[in-house]
Amino acid sequence: MRQTIYILDFGSQYTQLIARRVRENKVFSKIIPFNTPAKEIAALNPKGLILSGGPASVTQKKSPLPDKGIFKLGIPILGVCYGMQVITEMLGGKVKNTKSREFGKAELFIDDNHDLFSHMPGNFTCWASHGDYISKLPQGFRTSAHTMNAPMAAVSNRQRKIYGVQFHPEVTHTDKGNQIIGNFLFKICGCFSRWTMQSFVKEIIENIKKTAGNDKVVLGLSGGVDSSVAAILLHRAIGKNVRCIFIDNGLLRKDEPQQIKNVFRDMYHLNLDYVDRSKRFLTRLKGITDPEEKRKIIGDEFVKIFEEEADKVRGVKFLAQGTLYPDVIESISPTGAPSSKIKSHHNVGGLPAHMKLKLIEPLRDLFKDEVRAIGRELSLPDAIIMRQPFPGPGLSIRIIGEITPERLELLREVDQRVFDEIKKAGLYEQIWQSFAILLPIKSVGVMGDERTYENVVAIRCVTSLDGMTADWVRLPYEIMEKISNRIINEVKGVNRVVYDISSKPPATIEWE
């Protein structure tokens, strides 16, 4: 049986980081709402619980609190920041608000080097973010560490295996954070490092076989890493009973449809339907310039076409999606309210209810880097595993203004040269996204003795961990020069190249 650490989510921006740090120690973790009943938690048979941080204060009325029954389950518990204050308040201690908020780096001094702080130096840097402090410990607890501003920066009750830290061990700014989490997992919870991608692949394949049986499954294949890994897993599990539907909307990059056919039909021998509906999409997009209207049209048309193609598959019972764990987490509020709803993944755009297909989401417990690790385990080519994110509406939102076949072809040629030079420089896998945008303006230029008015393109290269925030890439001047020269000299109709140096926020990664 899989060992699992459950994380009670109190709304911290770092909750996903806690889950990731646990998994990096090869122990499986899942995030659940903070108010999950103790009986439900007990039924999950966790090896330990982690109470996340959060923006609330236990000194306020109606602050979020877990079921008090979790403290009677005999399960090891670690409270992080707000989670520590919850433990203190609920077990009889006192938490007070302080005027001197502790935020940023702080020096942590260890008072008890057992358990959480086993085999650690006497002091190191940690990352704090709190405005409350513990003024009185609950009965049976003792101080494990302190900072200059927090005399009780870590507490413990060794007998009950309940621990708390007033800082964030999950962030990289805390020097020994991963070791603290590891000590909780292995010394306190008794976990073993057994959760690997190899073992998880076997588990996923067995689950697919058990769920689908001999029934047929359809999957919307985009060629991105998520849908690609899902397709190969399904193929390994149920073979020809999975039908992959790849819809060419005419908004893809240069040679992309052929590359997808070559990999999945010829190399992996998947049951792949290539559906070219580019004319249908472009007809509906004719004259449309509003970016939101573009998105709605593309999403609506995709759903209609996918439904038409899925209806052709006899006996289909399941729809497979490349939904990832962040999609699941972000669609459930920390309160776990009944109104919470798992959002439809962008690969299929949200299918009509009347299709009555059951869902299979083999990747719904995984983060993006874990999906890439599974891709390597399945021997997928790097071109797919490390493929940069590509928006669902494709090049339509990288063409500012109206979409025409001529403008699409121009942008494909420009974008291909950006791709070529970033690849040649060995930067493709270091950059989150690198692409071109066709602007809705003409720029004056000279060709011999003649004045010309031709297109302007912008180049956008950003670094990011998850797409939520991003910074522009400081490309070396010689690479920028090569990109600009190739575009202007090789792509007819472009005479000016600009480079976007804005970060997210306030800008977004895409232009529309």
Side-chain angles (χ1 to χ4, degrees):
M1 188 175 180
R2 184 200 291 167
Q3 296 179 333
T4 305
I5 298 292
Y6 285 90
I7 299 153
L8 272 62
D9 182 16
F10 289 91
S12 170
Q13 61 181 321
Y14 300 135
T15 301
Q16 286 192 36
L17 269 183
I18 300 174
R20 293 176 67 84
R21 296 295 175 255
V22 173
R23 293 185 183 196
E24 285 168 5
N25 281 280
K26 296 182 179 178
V27 176
F28 188 66
S29 63
K30 290 198 79 170
I31 297 168
I32 57 177
F34 73 86
N35 56 359
T36 303
K39 286 184 179 179
E40 288 185 20
I41 292 173
L44 295 170
N45 194 30
K47 291 293 288 183
L49 298 177
I50 298 178
L51 278 56
S52 83
S57 167
V58 294
T59 63
Q60 299 171 340
K61 291 181 179 180
K62 296 184 179 180
S63 57
L65 298 173
D67 184 339
K68 196 169 184 177
I70 65 172
F71 299 110
K72 298 178 181 178
L73 296 178
I75 301 168
I77 295 174
L78 171 63
V80 175
C81 202
Y82 178 80
M84 171 179 166
Q85 295 158 13
V86 164
I87 291 170
T88 302
E89 192 73 18
M90 293 185 74
L91 295 182
K94 292 292 181 184
V95 177
K96 291 185 178 180
N97 190 261
T98 176
K99 294 180 181 178
S100 56
R101 176 182 171 88
E102 188 172 47
F103 180 82
K105 291 185 177 181
E107 195 70 14
L108 186 75
F109 299 91
I110 307 304
D111 301 312
D112 182 352
N113 61 358
H114 293 90
D115 301 332
L116 277 187
F117 302 110
S118 178
H119 296 93
M120 290 193 187
N123 60 289
F124 54 86
T125 300
C126 68
W127 184 264
S129 177
H130 61 94
D132 293 341
Y133 72 99
I134 295 171
S135 60
K136 178 188 173 185
L137 284 174
Q139 187 176 353
F141 281 76
R142 60 182 295 177
T143 301
S144 303
H146 69 276
T147 68
M148 297 303 291
N149 292 321
M152 300 174 195
V155 300
S156 63
N157 185 321
R158 298 186 70 193
Q159 186 176 358
R160 299 181 65 180
K161 293 188 177 181
I162 300 176
Y163 301 82
V165 293
Q166 190 65 79
F167 56 91
H168 290 275
E170 69 273 24
V171 303
T172 55
H173 305 298
T174 296
D175 285 345
K176 302 294 179 181
N178 200 47
Q179 191 176 342
I180 292 169
I181 291 172
N183 281 340
F184 177 70
L185 299 176
F186 306 121
K187 292 185 178 296
I188 297 168
C189 298
C191 294
F192 297 97
S193 294
R194 290 177 178 167
W195 189 70
T196 63
M197 289 301 104
Q198 188 175 23
S199 65
F200 199 56
V201 166
K202 291 179 182 177
E203 185 180 325
I204 292 173
I205 290 173
E206 287 303 313
N207 286 341
I208 293 171
K209 287 179 179 178
K210 186 177 178 180
T211 302
N214 294 319
D215 291 323
K216 291 184 178 178
V217 181
V218 289
L219 167 75
L221 180 65
S222 69
V225 63
D226 305 336
S227 66
S228 299
V229 169
I232 299 299
L233 285 169
L234 285 156
H235 183 68
R236 291 267 183 103
I238 57 175
K240 293 295 182 180
N241 274 351
V242 59
R243 177 71 63 89
C244 297
I245 300 172
F246 170 57
I247 299 171
D248 184 352
N249 58 12
L251 305 170
L252 302 173
R253 290 167 291 195
K254 186 175 181 179
D255 300 329
E256 202 162 32
Q258 190 58 48
Q259 290 167 4
I260 290 170
K261 286 190 284 184
N262 290 344
V263 170
F264 294 99
R265 184 182 285 170
D266 301 337
M267 187 186 302
Y268 286 96
H269 309 292
L270 264 66
N271 199 356
L272 175 66
D273 287 348
Y274 169 67
V275 183
D276 184 355
R277 295 291 183 270
S278 52
K279 289 183 180 178
R280 185 163 152 181
F281 277 92
L282 294 182
T283 298
R284 281 200 64 185
L285 288 167
K286 188 175 182 179
I288 303 299
T289 59
D290 180 75
E292 281 309 305
E293 197 172 351
K294 289 180 189 177
R295 290 175 186 271
K296 287 177 183 177
I297 289 171
I298 292 165
D300 179 64
E301 199 62 38
F302 184 93
V303 168
K304 288 178 180 176
I305 295 169
F306 190 92
E307 184 180 8
E308 291 166 7
E309 296 303 317
D311 281 345
K312 296 176 184 177
V313 183
R314 288 185 179 181
V316 63
K317 297 286 182 66
F318 292 91
L319 166 68
Q321 297 188 152
T323 309
L324 300 192
Y325 197 39
D327 299 322
V328 177
I329 297 168
E330 289 165 10
S331 62
I332 303 176
S333 69
T335 62
S339 60
S340 298
K341 182 181 178 182
I342 304 298
K343 65 182 178 183
S344 297
H345 192 253
H346 63 268
N347 278 356
V348 292
L351 295 176
H354 64 260
M355 286 190 74
K356 303 297 182 184
L357 297 178
K358 299 175 184 177
L359 273 181
I360 292 181
E361 297 173 311
L363 309 177
R364 65 177 284 116
D365 286 334
L366 298 174
F367 291 101
K368 177 72 84 173
D369 58 322
E370 294 167 339
V371 174
R372 287 196 166 109
I374 284 187
R376 291 190 184 91
E377 198 67 40
L378 297 171
S379 300
L380 273 168
D382 281 347
I384 289 176
I385 294 172
M386 300 310 296
R387 183 181 187 249
Q388 292 179 358
F390 187 61
L395 296 179
S396 73
I397 57 170
R398 293 178 180 174
I399 293 177
I400 313 302
E402 184 180 2
I403 301 159
T404 65
E406 295 76 22
R407 299 190 83 202
L408 278 165
E409 190 56 33
L410 187 145
L411 182 57
R412 285 192 186 99
E413 293 299 326
V414 171
D415 196 71
Q416 184 63 40
R417 283 151 181 82
V418 176
F419 175 85
D420 285 346
E421 293 305 323
I422 294 295
K423 269 280 190 181
K424 286 178 185 177
L427 296 174
Y428 183 80
E429 293 179 9
Q430 300 173 34
I431 294 174
W432 177 262
Q433 279 177 271
S434 50
F435 57 92
I437 306 102
L438 179 57
L439 303 183
I441 55 175
K442 298 279 187 176
S443 169
V444 67
V446 291
M447 182 68 69
D449 294 330
E450 295 183 10
R451 290 165 65 87
T452 61
Y453 289 90
E454 295 183 316
N455 292 285
V456 180
V457 296
I459 308 302
R460 179 83 159 136
C461 299
V462 298
T463 55
S464 178
L465 292 175
D466 52 17
M468 300 302 292
T469 61
D471 193 18
W472 63 279
V473 177
R474 278 70 172 167
L475 282 181
Y477 287 149
E478 57 268 24
I479 296 173
M480 296 174 75
E481 183 181 21
K482 286 180 183 177
I483 291 172
S484 178
N485 285 344
R486 283 199 62 191
I487 291 170
I488 291 171
N489 292 326
E490 298 175 18
V491 182
K492 188 177 180 180
V494 178
N495 70 355
R496 194 175 299 271
V497 177
V498 298
Y499 190 65
D500 182 348
I501 60 169
S502 51
S503 296
K504 177 185 178 180
T508 57
I509 294 177
E510 299 290 344
W511 275 44
E512 288 192 341

